[in-house]
Amino acid sequence: MTAPVIEFRGVGLTYPGPPAVAALRPCDLRVPRGEFVTVVGPSGSGKSTFLNVAGLLDSPTCGRYLLDGIDTAALPDRSRAALRGRRIGFVFQAFHLLPHRSALENVTLAMLYTEVPRKERLVRAREVLAQVGLAHRADAVPGRLSGGERQRVAIARALVGRPSLLLCDEPTGNLDSANAASVLALLDELHGAGMTVVVITHDPGVAARGHRTVTLHDGRLRA
Amino acid sequence: MTPPVRTTRLSARDTLSEALAGILRRPGRAVLTALGTVLGVGSFVAVLGLTATLSSRIDGRFNLLTATEVSVQDVAAEHDEFAGPAFPADAEQRLRQVAGIAHAGVLWTVRLDPGTAVGSLPTGAGAGAAEGGAGGGGTAVVAASPGAVAALAPTLRQGRLYDEFAERTHQRVAVLGSGVADRLGITTLATRPVVHIGQEPFTVAGIIADVERRPEHLLSVLVPRATAEELWGPPGPASASLLIDTELGAARQVAGLVPLALRPDHPEYLKAVPPPDPRVLRSGVTSDLSALFLLLAGICLVIGAVGIANTTLVAVLERTGEIGLRRALGARGRHVWAQFLTESAALGALGGLVGTALGELTVVGVSLVRDWTPVIHPATVAAAPLAGLLTGLLAGLHPAWRAARIEPAEALRR
């Protein structure tokens, strides 16, 4: 498939007022397969809106967004949910791990809705945990893991569904520098293996890791 | 147009295991949440069980003796004040044709003239009340046919009962209740003792030690019916009654037949009182005793439902991040809805199971202390956990709906 993973054609999002707020002004963006793009901007610049639109958590009010060449504008909610589950791997600043489940169970959760047989879920979750270097922590609950380990569990959860796009929202925001470095190294490694990675951050140091950096300022996207 | 991507699914098994994980990983919280259901279902089972136990107790008291007794009252005076005695003279012969009767006979308490008393010596006219009253005051004289005496189910201390021959020939014989014999100082029949009723001497044929019906007759002097009628006239209005000892199970049929058999011309002159129907007895007890308690148990269940609803709603708000995450992982609103509803229903069912067990323990415990036989209807045990499940299901409707409506973008911002 040659279609870019992300293709924005005049995509914008205005929250209806009053007063109407243009959180993301109409813009064009292409992220081809295998690219590592960072989206950088100060707080309030529309980063969250960009994440929500790119992650199909929110619908743009204008323009067309093609994910893997699929026009998402006309899709019903159930198909948008399916695209999220099957094509996008999310990594959040707050990790969003379920506190009472082991690392392994947290990873298997990503296959709960995508018709992966139960036995295969465990096998694949162990594989991916090994890939992020946490095979030995598979049975630990998040409370017993360091911040860096938690974010690596979250990345494993995002990867296990074999998505087209790894969409990371401030992945190092809650981490100290050593843990942040290990997480960024992991993202580099995944990109090296061919994964399309988009990282949203306010940190110029993190932004510099990308192939290409786009900036957001007051809702305006500049490539 | 077919969607370009296969929609996501959540199998029933996965829904259940996610719901159970939600409960079992937070056992303390689950216990507190389900407490209301436990109490509600527990009190339901306890009330129904104790009611069933009590009903069976009443069945026990409703024994062989009362089940085989029919008494027929003379109510002729209510219909016609000039009707005279309702029982025909040949009542006992007629009753022989009615199936299901073991013993039957007419009896009434004789109205003696003032000053006439029962004693060892003649009293009344000539002797004077003051002299003769010593032995007698308060002793009733009962005219009873031989069948009526047999229907009392007496146990003899000495002698024998009088028979049909004594009745037919108007013998002056009497059977004494043990209380009367003790008072008159009659200890043996070897001396052929005689009691006087007023001026009339009666030979004591036997002394009754005990009766199983109408124990008040232990303080009476029983004399043959024909003798009493000859001496003191027929029974007064509404004073005679017919006592019937029936075969087991025949009491209600006998009660229906007797008025017609004795008075085909005026069956309404006789009022047959059959033993109470045990089924009626039980349902009466059930409605009286348990209605209030069932209401209380219902209130408990409602409180339980509100408790589950409240805790589940709090949990939904608490788990907003989890809901957002699940939506990001491909869950549709209905998957989130199903998960929370299943969780709430499972909590209700667990509460129902525990409540059922506690309710049964209560019934068994109370029965043990009071020395009863615990009785719980199987339907109660089967239905109680279902009631818990239903409670949880109803309680989960609103929180699950709220959970399904949470916007994923909003939820993940936290």
Side-chain angles (χ1 to χ4, degrees):
Chain A
M1 208 196 256
T2 53
V5 175
I6 293 177
E7 183 171 5
F8 280 11
R9 293 181 190 164
V11 166
L13 197 158
T14 303
Y15 290 110
V21 176
L24 184 66
R25 294 177 196 275
C27 62
D28 294 329
L29 177 72
R30 276 171 66 94
V31 179
R33 190 158 301 277
E35 213 183 7
F36 188 165
V37 174
T38 50
V39 179
V40 70
S43 57
S45 60
K47 294 198 302 291
S48 295
T49 309
F50 178 84
L51 167 82
N52 291 342
V53 171
L56 293 174
L57 296 166
D58 214 340
S59 298
T61 48
C62 65
R64 289 169 69 195
Y65 168 27
L66 282 74
L67 176 71
D68 280 346
I70 301 162
D71 189 349
T72 62
L75 291 181
D77 270 353
R78 63 172 185 278
S79 299
R80 297 167 63 81
L83 275 179
R84 284 199 296 269
R86 294 177 193 276
R87 304 278 175 119
I88 303 174
F90 288 90
V91 176
F92 304 101
Q93 176 176 3
F95 319 133
H96 285 304
L97 297 175
L98 300 194
H100 300 281
R101 315 260 187 118
S102 69
L104 188 70
E105 288 168 318
N106 267 289
V107 176
T108 57
L109 200 66
M111 294 171 282
L112 186 64
Y113 304 98
T114 53
E115 297 166 285
V116 179
R118 291 171 74 90
K119 278 181 187 164
E120 198 188 325
R121 286 181 211 162
L122 285 175
V123 175
R124 275 170 66 174
R126 283 191 193 283
E127 275 173 22
V128 179
L129 274 177
Q131 195 185 340
V132 301
L134 285 176
H136 60 296
R137 302 293 269 152
D139 295 323
V141 291
R144 309 288 298 271
L145 297 172
S146 74
E149 286 174 325
R150 287 185 212 178
Q151 195 58 300
R152 281 191 282 161
V153 171
I155 292 172
R157 182 183 63 198
L159 290 175
V160 78
R162 295 165 188 164
S164 314
L165 169 66
L166 193 62
L167 189 58
C168 311
D169 180 24
E170 299 280 11
T172 58
N174 281 3
L175 302 180
D176 59 36
S177 55
N179 276 317
S182 80
V183 165
L184 289 173
L186 176 60
L187 291 179
D188 278 339
E189 191 186 317
L190 294 170
H191 168 240
M195 176 61 68
T196 311
V197 182
V198 171
V199 174
I200 298 162
T201 182
H202 72 281
D203 182 345
V206 174
R209 304 289 286 249
H211 255 196
R212 183 155 71 98
T213 301
V214 294
T215 56
L216 263 171
H217 203 272
D218 291 340
R220 280 179 228 281
L221 188 80
R222 289 202 193 92
Chain B
M1 189 181 106
T2 53
V5 179
R6 284 172 62 84
T7 50
T8 45
R9 301 207 183 289
L10 183 62
S11 71
R13 188 181 164 191
D14 283 333
T15 312
L16 196 63
S17 68
E18 282 299 299
L20 286 181
I23 293 169
L24 297 177
R25 300 296 165 91
R26 306 282 307 270
R29 182 197 197 113
V31 166
L32 287 178
T33 308
L35 198 61
T37 321
V38 170
L39 293 178
V41 172
S43 37
F44 251 122
V45 171
V47 167
L48 290 175
L50 286 175
T51 310
T53 303
L54 276 176
S55 297
S56 80
R57 292 265 310 151
I58 286 161
D59 294 349
R61 213 175 299 164
F62 183 78
N63 57 17
L64 189 65
L65 214 60
T66 47
T68 55
E69 178 182 326
V70 175
S71 73
V72 185
Q73 313 291 334
D74 175 354
V75 292
E78 292 176 19
H79 297 277
D80 180 358
E81 51 184 309
F82 303 112
F87 294 105
D90 58 347
E92 293 185 27
Q93 275 87 34
R94 293 194 192 200
L95 288 180
R96 291 212 179 93
Q97 289 158 20
V98 178
I101 294 180
H103 304 282
V106 176
L107 73 170
W108 69 88
T109 301
V110 173
R111 282 189 306 170
L112 298 174
D113 297 325
T116 307
V118 178
S120 314
L121 299 171
T123 55
E131 264 181 82
T139 300
V141 175
V142 172
S145 65
V149 178
L152 294 174
T155 316
L156 277 168
R157 184 191 284 174
Q158 285 184 57
R160 59 186 185 83
L161 304 174
Y162 49 79
D163 56 12
E164 289 291 338
F165 175 77
E167 169 88 17
R168 260 198 321 276
T169 54
H170 302 202
Q171 301 276 320
R172 304 282 198 268
V173 291
V175 169
L176 304 186
S178 56
V180 178
D182 290 348
R183 244 183 22 196
L184 297 180
I186 298 172
T187 53
T188 174
L189 298 184
T191 56
R192 315 284 304 199
V194 167
V195 292
H196 288 82
I197 300 170
Q199 296 282 321
E200 285 298 327
F202 283 76
T203 307
V204 178
I207 298 172
I208 295 172
D210 201 0
V211 292
E212 290 185 28
R213 296 195 175 99
R214 312 275 169 97
E216 65 270 23
H217 293 320
L218 289 177
L219 294 173
S220 306
V221 177
L222 303 175
V223 299
R225 174 189 175 185
T227 313
E229 263 184 82
E230 183 186 297
L231 289 173
W232 301 294
S239 68
S241 69
L242 176 66
L243 183 66
I244 306 175
D245 176 27
T246 73
E247 309 282 348
L248 190 59
R252 298 190 74 79
Q253 282 78 1
V254 166
L257 284 172
V258 163
L260 277 168
L262 292 183
R263 291 300 294 264
D265 55 338
H266 283 297
E268 75 275 11
Y269 283 3
L270 297 172
K271 184 179 161 205
V273 182
D277 188 335
R279 282 165 300 178
V280 174
L281 209 62
R282 188 180 309 155
S283 67
V285 167
T286 306
S287 59
D288 288 353
L289 200 98
S290 59
L292 181 71
F293 286 113
L294 278 181
L295 187 73
L296 289 177
I299 291 170
C300 268
L301 258 190
V302 170
I303 293 171
V306 171
I308 289 191
N310 209 23
T311 321
T312 310
L313 195 60
V314 170
V316 164
L317 300 178
E318 224 176 64
R319 290 159 70 181
T320 303
E322 177 188 332
I323 293 166
L325 172 78
R326 287 176 184 275
R327 298 297 299 271
L329 293 177
R332 295 166 63 187
R334 63 169 63 176
H335 297 151
V336 173
W337 179 82
Q339 184 194 334
F340 277 91
L341 195 63
T342 308
E343 206 171 303
S344 165
L347 262 181
L350 282 178
L353 280 175
V354 174
T356 307
L358 289 182
E360 284 172 23
L361 280 179
T362 307
V363 174
V364 171
V366 170
S367 301
L368 203 67
V369 170
R370 306 296 297 267
D371 219 4
W372 295 344
T373 308
V375 176
I376 299 179
H377 199 276
T380 308
V381 181
L386 288 180
L389 180 91
L390 204 67
T391 307
L393 206 63
L394 288 176
L397 280 176
H398 176 64
W401 178 76
R402 288 279 297 269
R405 268 174 31 117
I406 289 177
E407 285 295 327
E410 293 283 330
L412 286 166
R413 193 163 299 155
R414 300 171 26 134

